[in-house]
Amino acid sequence: MPNEKENRHFSERITGLVSVVIPAYNAEQSLGRCIESALNQTYQQIEIIVVNDGSTDNTERIVHNYKENIQYFSQSNQGETAARNKGFAMAKGEFVTFIDHDDFWHKEFIQSCVEFL
């Protein structure tokens, strides 16, 4: 059962907003494509949150190419679950979805999901 703090967070969620959480670890080769697929969705009411889970490559440099359009958080390496949980905690959307840094979506993916829900 959610505690008072969790209830406040859920009540502060923004109706219609979709939060896209991208956990990233040593993702320099694929992260740009992933972020681009999220940015180019036909459904535009989204926020993109990238959680860098202690990458030792140029993941942070890739993220800075998109700094105007995303939220970014960097943490020491704690594993994918911890990165996902951090992104979820940061999310403001009524809906939250996850995409791995080495994946990408068709441009109508979020639109289809929102219409279904």
Side-chain angles (χ1 to χ4, degrees), residues 37-38 40-42 99 104-112:
S37 80
N40 292 316
Q41 292 294 300
T42 56
I99 182 170
F104 65 97
W105 287 328
H106 183 273
K107 65 181 180 175
E108 295 177 354
F109 176 76
I110 292 178
Q111 180 79 39
S112 297

Side-chain angles (χ1 to χ4, degrees), residues 49-68:
I49 303 165
V50 176
V51 180
N52 183 351
D53 190 42
S55 296
T56 58
D57 66 357
N58 290 314
T59 295
E60 188 165 346
R61 184 176 53 91
I62 301 301
V63 170
H64 284 299
N65 293 330
Y66 300 96
K67 64 183 176 187
E68 302 292 322

Side-chain angles (χ1 to χ4, degrees), residues 17-32:
L17 181 67
V18 176
S19 298
V20 177
V21 176
I22 306 172
Y25 177 74
N26 290 344
E28 70 178 317
Q29 296 297 319
S30 57
L31 184 58

Side-chain angles (χ1 to χ4, degrees), residues 34-54:
C34 180
I35 292 171
E36 289 287 336
S37 80
L39 288 173
N40 292 316
Q41 292 294 300
T42 56
Y43 188 88
Q44 292 291 303
Q45 195 177 349
I46 64 170
E47 68 171 346
I48 299 170
I49 303 165
V50 176
V51 180
N52 183 351
D53 190 42

